[in-house]
Amino acid sequence: MFVDGHRPRPMYVDYKDLELLSKMVNRQGRIMGRRKSGCTAASQHAVTSAIKRARFMALLPYVGE
């Protein structure tokens, strides 16, 4: 979640970065919590909104396999 060794402010995660977003979703299609992902609150919020936006744009499925 870092860019060049530091966290950008404001935190932004691109919804088109499916490689990163698929790591933050478990097999059932649910967003992993902060305890498992190790994100801070700001980065977890950015990841959550990016995943929801990617789901709305049909880039990620709502449910897992």
Side-chain angles (χ1 to χ4, degrees), residues 1-58:
M1 303 304 297
F2 293 100
V3 178
D4 296 330
H6 67 283
R7 185 173 45 148
R9 291 301 265 175
M11 188 69 195
Y12 176 74
V13 178
D14 192 16
Y15 69 94
K16 294 174 275 187
D17 188 7
L18 299 180
E19 182 181 336
L20 173 69
L21 296 180
S22 61
K23 291 178 186 175
M24 305 300 288
V25 176
N26 64 9
R27 290 186 305 178
Q28 290 82 24
R30 298 182 62 183
I31 301 171
M32 287 195 314
R34 283 182 57 200
R35 288 183 182 173
K36 287 201 174 188
S37 64
C39 294
T40 62
S43 56
Q44 182 71 19
H45 181 70
V47 166
T48 301
S49 13
I51 288 174
K52 289 178 181 179
R53 186 171 289 142
R55 284 176 176 169
F56 181 75
M57 300 291 288

